[in-house]
Amino acid sequence: MRERVEAILDKVRPMLQSDGGDVELVDITDSGVVQVRLTGACKGCPMSQMTLRNGIERIVLKEIPEVKAVEAV
């Protein structure tokens, strides 16, 4: 599953990088929670939670039904 999540993050990465940010996969828990770290401009951005929920999480949940949630760590 890790490779599938990485492939999806690679799809959203250009959007984040165009604003000076990025995302990295930290872990996938046994309960199906994908843990990511927002970096660069995304790290302190007030819109980062919206980016996480409406962008990254929405796409990951759609593409990989086994994933239950995406959270920033």
Side-chain angles (χ1 to χ4, degrees), residues 23-52:
V23 62
E24 65 182 59
L25 178 60
V26 175
D27 195 16
I28 302 172
T29 68
D30 292 337
S31 59
V33 176
V34 172
Q35 297 175 332
V36 298
R37 179 175 297 116
L38 296 172
T39 62
C42 292
K43 184 176 181 180
C45 176
M47 301 298 284
S48 64
Q49 283 303 309
M50 191 166 76
T51 299
L52 182 69

Side-chain angles (χ1 to χ4, degrees), residues 7-73:
I8 293 168
L9 294 180
D10 285 343
K11 289 181 187 178
V12 299
R13 200 167 263 124
M15 173 190 68
L16 299 173
Q17 290 173 340
S18 71
D19 288 330
D22 207 344
V23 62
E24 65 182 59
L25 178 60
V26 175
D27 195 16
I28 302 172
T29 68
D30 292 337
S31 59
V33 176
V34 172
Q35 297 175 332
V36 298
R37 179 175 297 116
L38 296 172
T39 62
C42 292
K43 184 176 181 180
C45 176
M47 301 298 284
S48 64
Q49 283 303 309
M50 191 166 76
T51 299
L52 182 69
R53 296 286 171 241
N54 295 338
I56 300 168
E57 184 177 58
R58 182 179 54 83
I59 295 167
V60 171
L61 293 177
K62 180 181 176 187
E63 301 274 335
I64 308 174
E66 305 94 74
V67 171
K68 303 301 178 214
V70 177
E71 64 181 33
V73 294

